[in-house]
Amino acid sequence: MAGRTIDLEQEKELLHRAREGDEEAFRKIVNLHQRQVAATVMGMLGNCPEAEDVGQEVFIQFFRSLDRFRGESRIATYLTRIALNLAVNELRRRKKEKQLLAAGAEGWLKASTDSREEANDARRLIAQALQQLEPRFREVIVLRFLNGYSTEETARILKLPLGTVLSRLSRAQMKLREILLPLMGQEK
Amino acid sequence: MIIKKKSIRTLLYRSFEEKLKPKEEARLRRALADSPELRAEKEEILRLRHFLEERDKFSFSPHFDEKVLTKWRQEKECLEKTPSFEEQLSSIFVKLAYIGTAVAVVLVIINVILGDVLSSEEIFFASDSLYETLLHLPFF
């Protein structure tokens, strides 16, 4: 799984140093896990300017809760949970804003997918395709594929039965197949 | 027919995630052999999954770590400047004490100046009649 490039003992040592206020330990945690957090946040929100702000907030919330973090799960899993929660909050905020402005992401999506330059960018392509899925389908794809968690781990993180995760995965892949495959041919 | 097709697709998608029972596996194998459409779907899904799994595509802008640490330092500074709960509580009590004293002084002054209990002369110069009044109070 992404982000797990150090073993449990090294992770405990890193946490200990971070709790002592060692800035290098903080930096190492960020560098070890930023790609995974980016995949979660960008997968959920799309490749937008807010994604990086949410990404920063994920680490800040983790540092704030260091004293409460007992190491029952790996740092990567804990960060993924925070990232998912913050991304879902951001989606709710957007939904409210969309209701107010009556102008949503769909228009933006259509416009961006029309651009050949953006369609050639795999990251944007995935992020845009994911935006067309309902959040409950999006989160299983993000955890299972972009973060590389197993279906069991995905079920545990989302606190869902395994059967639900499997069925959501199937439906999400069917939908993504329709959206992504025609565009994937254009990718360089 | 539709139900059968649907259940075969369910099997196909499940087969990517977990090991099927031998019976189910045999059924799926037969269906794949019979249906070019299903074989194409399997190929496409495998392609899609491979595409999605290249997760290194996602990253934040350069110097992301520095941005997080700067934000964290600012927050820590803010926290250090914020007084602790005990300090905040004691500061509230000090403020309350000042306000209470001021109110008491104002009330006494108003009472003395406007009321008919004690004259300002009696308060400030403590005349003999004041002592007499005080001595006749029930406490003595």
Side-chain angles (χ1 to χ4, degrees):
Chain A
M1 197 223 52
R4 281 187 192 169
T5 45
I6 56 168
D7 63 34
L8 198 58
E9 281 311 306
Q10 287 174 306
E11 190 169 290
K12 276 183 184 167
E13 169 64 21
L14 198 59
L15 275 173
H16 175 71
R17 280 171 47 208
R19 283 194 186 107
E20 302 273 297
D22 180 350
E23 209 168 84
E24 274 317 298
F26 285 116
R27 192 185 297 278
K28 197 163 179 190
I29 291 174
V30 176
N31 287 329
L32 274 171
H33 300 286
Q34 64 154 312
R35 278 183 186 276
Q36 182 207 349
V37 170
T40 310
V41 173
M42 287 178 179
M44 290 299 289
L45 300 178
N47 196 7
C48 55
E50 305 94 75
E52 184 151 328
D53 293 335
V54 173
Q56 288 179 19
E57 192 52 34
V58 170
F59 286 101
I60 298 293
Q61 278 210 10
F62 176 67
F63 295 155
R64 263 185 227 142
S65 61
L66 262 181
D67 291 330
R68 279 173 281 137
F69 180 67
R70 291 177 191 166
E72 285 154 352
S73 60
R74 297 292 299 258
I75 296 179
T77 312
Y78 196 69
L79 283 170
T80 303
R81 282 205 190 104
I82 301 177
L84 265 181
N85 286 340
L86 291 182
V88 168
N89 288 347
E90 175 62 22
L91 287 175
R92 283 196 194 118
R93 191 192 64 78
R94 277 187 196 173
K95 198 176 167 188
K96 272 186 197 164
E97 212 173 79
K98 193 176 163 184
Q99 282 165 350
L100 285 174
L101 297 171
E106 277 167 39
W108 170 80
L109 260 172
K110 261 192 178 158
S112 348
T113 353
D114 287 344
S115 150
R116 176 173 284 269
E117 194 188 311
E118 288 187 1
N120 285 337
D121 179 342
R123 188 174 70 179
R124 277 174 200 267
L125 207 62
I126 295 174
Q128 285 165 8
L130 286 173
Q131 294 312 294
Q132 296 180 53
L133 298 180
E134 279 178 48
R136 65 196 170 121
F137 294 120
R138 205 183 304 164
E139 58 189 13
V140 289
I141 292 285
V142 165
L143 291 179
R144 177 69 189 86
F145 297 111
L146 306 190
N147 281 326
Y149 286 106
S150 68
T151 38
E152 288 81 7
E153 285 173 316
T154 304
R156 225 173 297 134
I157 291 172
L158 295 173
K159 294 179 181 142
L160 287 173
L162 187 61
T164 310
V165 169
L166 285 171
S167 118
R168 284 186 189 176
L169 265 177
S170 304
R171 289 180 64 187
Q173 285 176 93
M174 284 178 204
K175 178 89 178 149
L176 279 178
R177 179 175 156 248
E178 286 166 26
I179 305 165
L180 263 179
L181 283 175
L183 297 168
M184 272 164 66
Q186 296 172 26
E187 204 204 358
K188 277 173 189 167
Chain B
M1 184 65 190
I2 293 170
I3 293 172
K4 199 179 167 191
K5 201 177 166 187
K6 201 178 164 189
S7 72
I8 284 291
R9 282 182 95 195
T10 310
L11 275 187
L12 174 68
Y13 283 89
R14 255 185 59 209
S15 72
F16 296 122
E17 298 299 330
E18 59 183 11
K19 184 137 179 63
L20 299 179
K21 291 173 190 156
K23 250 187 178 175
E24 292 173 326
E25 218 175 294
R27 210 176 130 216
L28 179 63
R29 214 180 306 125
R30 273 198 307 276
L32 282 167
D34 293 345
S35 163
E37 196 187 304
L38 196 66
R39 283 201 299 276
E41 183 161 353
K42 185 183 175 183
E43 284 309 309
E44 284 173 359
I45 289 296
L46 283 172
R47 213 174 126 214
L48 175 77
R49 290 167 69 94
H50 179 70
F51 184 71
L52 287 171
E53 275 167 346
E54 289 168 33
R55 51 188 168 269
D56 280 354
K57 291 175 191 127
F58 290 92
S59 66
F60 292 121
S61 61
H63 312 299
F64 176 78
D65 56 345
E66 199 45 54
K67 288 176 196 164
V68 174
L69 287 178
T70 307
K71 211 169 168 184
W72 178 235
R73 277 183 218 120
Q74 284 167 350
E75 186 168 316
K76 265 199 328 196
E77 267 172 37
C78 238
L79 280 174
E80 279 158 17
K81 275 180 197 166
T82 314
S84 67
F85 177 71
E86 288 80 11
E87 285 168 336
Q88 284 179 358
L89 204 65
S90 99
S91 135
I92 289 171
F93 278 122
V94 169
K95 278 178 197 158
L96 278 175
Y98 280 131
I99 294 167
T101 311
V103 169
V105 167
V106 169
L107 285 175
V108 167
I109 291 171
I110 290 170
N111 182 47
V112 166
I113 294 169
L114 301 177
D116 52 1
V117 181
L118 297 169
S119 69
S120 52
E121 192 191 32
E122 283 167 336
I123 280 287
F124 297 116
F125 300 105
S127 63
D128 292 344
S129 59
L130 172 68
Y131 291 119
E132 276 171 30
T133 314
L134 288 173
L135 286 171
H136 282 97
L137 286 173
F139 320 115
F140 298 100

